[in-house]
Amino acid sequence: MLFKAVKPVVQVALLIVGITMVCFGVMRGEADAVLAKAIRLCLECIGIG
Amino acid sequence: MKLSKIAALFMVPVLALCLVACSAPGGNAGESTSSDPKIAELTAQKPTNADEAAELYAKLMQKENEIFSSDNALWEKVFNAANKDSAMIEDGSNYGDFLLKTIDGAKDEFTADELKTLKAGAQQIKEIEDKLESLEKEFPGCGSTPSAGESVDASTAGMTAGANASSEATKFPSFTGKDLDGNDVNSDELFSKNKVTVMNFWFTTCKPCVGELGDLEDLNKELAKKGGQVVGVNSFTLDGNKGEIADAKDVLSKKGVTYKNIWFKSDSEAGKFTSNLFSFPTTYVIDQNGNIVGDPIVGAISSAEQRAALDKLIDQAIANSEQ
Amino acid sequence: MDKRENTASHVLVRFRGFIQAAATLVTNIHLPNFAKGGIYQGAGKTVCVPGLNCYSCPAASGACPIGSFQSVVGSSKFNFSYYVTGTLILLGVLLGRFVCGFLCPFGWLQELLHKIPGKKFSTKKLKPLTYIKYVVLLFAVVLLPVLVVNDVGMGDPFFCKYICPQGVLEGAIPLAIANAGIRSALGHLFTWKLAVLIAVVVLSVLFYRPFCKWICPLGAFYALMNKVSLLGIRVDACKCVSCGKCSKVCQMDVDVVRAPNHAECIRCGKCIGACPVDAISYRYGLDVSAEKLPLTADKK
């Protein structure tokens, strides 16, 4: 079946895409944004208020 | 197997409750203890590693604060005099020298005895500052926050329940910093000029924090009539990070905020105080003497209940200041 | 060779409860913070944990992927989070919904609640409800935080703010118990979220993992990745006797033989244990070999 031939290719491609996206995200400062938000408690954001 | 899992399920909340029950927070862990060694002893110490240096640094800072708090009213006068002369502390100069100069400049306002106390105090502060400077040189970063990257708890963050609300005054840690336009700010001057200071801690990506900026601006206008002010501290802008200051100013201008927003060094006492805050927005009320009034308001002040609590604290602060 | 593989699968299934407990502990390692009423503020929170675990939990050691995604997307600087999406794609390809079955603390909680004795209901007839989670993912997590913004361009984390029961359980309740300031900040929003939590708890006793099946946006994302995940379930068509025991035992309502890598399969492995002829096992790796041969098996 065609799907079976395609599946490993998709898997490898997704792994590469995932790694690239993480690197790109870190580069444009998303990781810092995550940390900044995760160590500060925005009360309303978790349903306090 | 099944039974043990059910048991585990019930154990979890029980354990959690135990932890909470045993947790009577250490209250004034961060406050000064009086049985400290003499200043001379402290300045004579030669730390061998960064940890010791950091400890010594903290002790010296505490000593300095004690000198100020022991003759609070007198020093208040000195700071006021400093304001009039509009002499600002420049980076690099010794704070003790600055104080001595200011005292000299305003010596006719004090009695001989008072002058003696003040000069002795300023001299001690000078020695402490010298030592602090040499410590910083020898162990860079020893004055920076030891709690960075560690867990914070409610008591060190100044958020514990009413234990110290009325009986004992808690000073807001003193600081020198800048507003977002780059003008110098120092805490004593900032607080002593106003009967009440509402200090709002926020950060740029916190939507409820940004949401209440408009209300705080209104409050600032209201307080201006009563001799009070609102001051904002954006925790992203500590240490004068230029990008963060630009972002914060952008948000502030969009929300039409005109009141002062300030930053200070994160390794200062006030900086550590801010780093230890973890819930945002949080609003402190400070009286003219620089004392924190009551418990902070945690969460936005936009709701009626929170606003009522804040108004109560403001009235209390004004009453304190007029005593 | 098959026999050894099956043994490994059986062992994994047998220790699932312990793995769930360990994963919950590791993602919430800073336990003393429960007593202190504070949160961990170290660099560990840059990294997203695999499961649904609120980063406002006092003990949390990492960031919740859904919370992180919304906070990045909701800020005025970014409209999409490559960092979190990339992390989720990696986790999805490497593990898929194995995360739900083995690593997610909230999944574990629902399972434990389901062990409370009482009347249990099947969710087989409620299958359409499983599509709600995709709607939650698309709207509450991805679109609304970007589209519904205030005057400064900031959006609300809709899922965290209005839906997520884990945030109440791990964040709001423990912090409110230990911290008077936060206690006084509780209002209508908290009442609503508490009601959601109670509803999920009650439903979890009656149904198996209702939140995972119907609501969880993280589960929805991993569900989409389940078909291309390196970790899968293999049904050996030659061994299968078509007894149907695997599908009967499956609490996620998956027809194991027909679709071993169905989006709803959380890799809990109950079918592996139920199979009388050891035809079902985990497999891991690039999917080069043929694995899904139910029809040929039937024809035999």
Side-chain angles (χ1 to χ4, degrees), chain B residues 287-304:
Chain B
D287 68 16
Q288 194 155 21
N289 305 318
N291 292 322
I292 294 169
V293 180
D295 291 321
I297 308 283
V298 181
I301 57 147
S302 307
S303 82

Side-chain angles (χ1 to χ4, degrees), chain B residues 80-88 101-102 105-106:
Chain B
N80 280 336
N83 303 343
K84 277 175 218 153
D85 297 347
S86 71
M88 289 294 172
K101 245 187 267 170
T102 315

Side-chain angles (χ1 to χ4, degrees), chain A residues 36-37 39-44, chain B residues 205 208 235-236 278-280 298:
Chain A
K37 193 75 177 249
I39 62 171
R40 292 176 179 85
L41 189 67
C42 159
L43 291 171
E44 224 180 282
Chain B
T205 56
S235 95
F236 281 2
F278 63 89
S279 35
F280 290 85
V298 181

Side-chain angles (χ1 to χ4, degrees), chain C residues 255-266:
Chain C
D255 185 346
V256 183
V257 175
R258 198 169 298 270
N261 294 321
H262 191 270
E264 289 301 306
C265 173
I266 58 166

Side-chain angles (χ1 to χ4, degrees), chain B:
Chain B
M1 192 68 184
K2 199 170 175 182
L3 244 181
S4 74
K5 280 202 178 147
I6 295 170
L9 171 66
F10 284 106
M11 277 307 284
V12 171
V14 170
L15 270 176
L17 284 175
C18 289
L19 278 173
V20 172
C22 302
S23 73
N28 50 6
E31 278 172 34
S32 61
T33 46
S34 53
S35 61
D36 262 7
K38 291 256 155 47
I39 292 161
E41 270 173 49
L42 283 175
T43 49
Q45 277 179 31
K46 293 229 181 322
T48 50
N49 59 43
D51 282 345
E52 278 180 41
E55 195 186 330
L56 184 57
Y57 196 101
K59 275 189 190 157
L60 286 167
M61 288 297 285
Q62 195 182 332
K63 210 76 206 167
E64 202 171 304
N65 286 334
E66 275 170 28
I67 295 170
F68 285 130
S69 54
S70 60
D71 293 290
N72 206 344
L74 273 181
W75 287 109
E76 211 67 60
K77 269 183 166 176
V78 176
F79 298 136
N80 280 336
N83 303 343
K84 277 175 218 153
D85 297 347
S86 71
M88 289 294 172
I89 322 146
E90 288 146 37
D91 283 335
S93 81
N94 189 306
Y95 188 52
D97 279 336
F98 162 80
L99 286 174
L100 279 170
K101 245 187 267 170
T102 315
I103 295 164
D104 262 342
K107 59 180 164 214
D108 30 317
E109 286 182 38
F110 303 104
T111 65
D113 269 354
E114 283 172 347
L115 268 180
K116 210 171 142 192
T117 323
L118 285 174
K119 281 197 172 165
Q123 193 59 43
Q124 283 176 325
I125 284 164
K126 189 181 158 171
E127 282 164 24
I128 292 174
E129 288 285 330
D130 279 338
K131 184 71 187 175
L132 287 178
E133 203 182 325
S134 71
L135 274 178
E136 266 290 0
K137 232 174 250 168
E138 213 172 333
F139 302 96
C142 66
S144 68
T145 166
S147 61
E150 284 167 20
S151 306
V152 291
D153 58 63
S155 59
T156 54
M159 293 174 61
T160 39
N164 50 11
S166 52
S167 54
E168 225 178 291
T170 324
K171 271 240 172 249
F172 188 87
S174 63
F175 58 85
T176 56
K178 286 183 196 298
D179 66 18
L180 298 190
D181 296 318
N183 303 311
D184 288 314
V185 177
N186 94 53
S187 55
D188 304 301
E189 189 190 336
L190 188 72
F191 298 142
S192 63
K193 273 188 188 164
N194 287 279
K195 282 182 188 158
V196 57
T197 300
V198 172
M199 213 155 183
N200 173 249
F201 291 86
W202 65 293
F203 65 94
T204 319
T205 56
C206 162
K207 198 181 174 225
C209 305
V210 174
E212 68 167 357
L213 290 177
D215 293 326
L216 287 164
E217 175 65 20
D218 294 342
L219 177 68
N220 186 48
K221 292 206 178 92
E222 229 172 89
L223 284 180
K225 292 175 205 148
K226 300 183 193 169
Q229 64 176 345
V230 175
V231 172
V233 179
N234 181 317
S235 95
F236 281 2
T237 63
L238 293 192
D239 295 321
N241 182 315
K242 284 207 181 83
E244 294 295 354
I245 289 179
D247 288 349
K249 280 175 84 166
D250 184 44
V251 171
L252 289 168
S253 72
K254 277 181 185 155
K255 299 299 280 188
V257 169
T258 59
Y259 61 80
K260 209 190 288 272
N261 265 266
I262 58 171
W263 63 265
F264 27 75
K265 285 236 160 75
S266 58
D267 57 9
S268 68
E269 288 296 311
K272 284 178 215 168
F273 181 88
T274 310
S275 307
N276 280 338
L277 285 178
F278 63 89
S279 35
F280 290 85
T282 292
T283 305
Y284 277 84
V285 176
I286 295 151
D287 68 16
Q288 194 155 21
N289 305 318
N291 292 322
I292 294 169
V293 180
D295 291 321
I297 308 283
V298 181
I301 57 147
S302 307
S303 82
E305 283 165 35
Q306 297 278 67
R307 185 55 205 267
L310 179 64
D311 285 340
K312 212 172 133 195
L313 289 179
I314 290 172
D315 290 342
Q316 204 181 323
I318 293 177
N320 284 0
S321 303
E322 283 171 350
Q323 264 170 21

Side-chain angles (χ1 to χ4, degrees), chain A residues 1 3-49, chain C residues 39 41-43 45-46 54-56 63 68 71-72 78 80-83 85-87 89-90 93-94 157 160-161 172 175 182 185-190 193 225 227-230 261 286-287 291-292:
Chain A
M1 264 198 283
F3 182 70
K4 272 183 198 129
V6 171
K7 193 171 168 184
V9 179
V10 173
Q11 287 174 327
V12 173
L14 278 172
L15 281 175
I16 294 167
V17 167
I19 293 168
T20 318
M21 280 171 100
V22 170
C23 295
F24 179 65
V26 171
M27 257 166 51
R28 60 172 204 160
E30 286 179 24
D32 297 330
V34 167
L35 178 67
K37 193 75 177 249
I39 62 171
R40 292 176 179 85
L41 189 67
C42 159
L43 291 171
E44 224 180 282
C45 304
I46 58 158
I48 297 177
Chain C
I39 62 172
Q41 292 189 306
K45 286 213 170 157
T46 318
C54 189
Y55 52 35
S56 300
S68 304
S71 76
V72 172
F78 306 110
F80 185 77
S81 176
Y82 292 95
Y83 176 60
T85 313
T87 308
I89 289 177
L90 282 181
V93 174
L94 292 175
C160 297
K161 189 174 173 180
L175 284 170
I182 288 177
L186 301 178
H188 298 303
L189 191 56
F190 176 73
K193 294 271 310 261
M225 304 295 293
K227 286 219 190 311
V228 290
S229 166
L230 296 182
N261 294 321
L286 289 175
D287 197 10
E291 50 147 305
K292 204 185 84 176

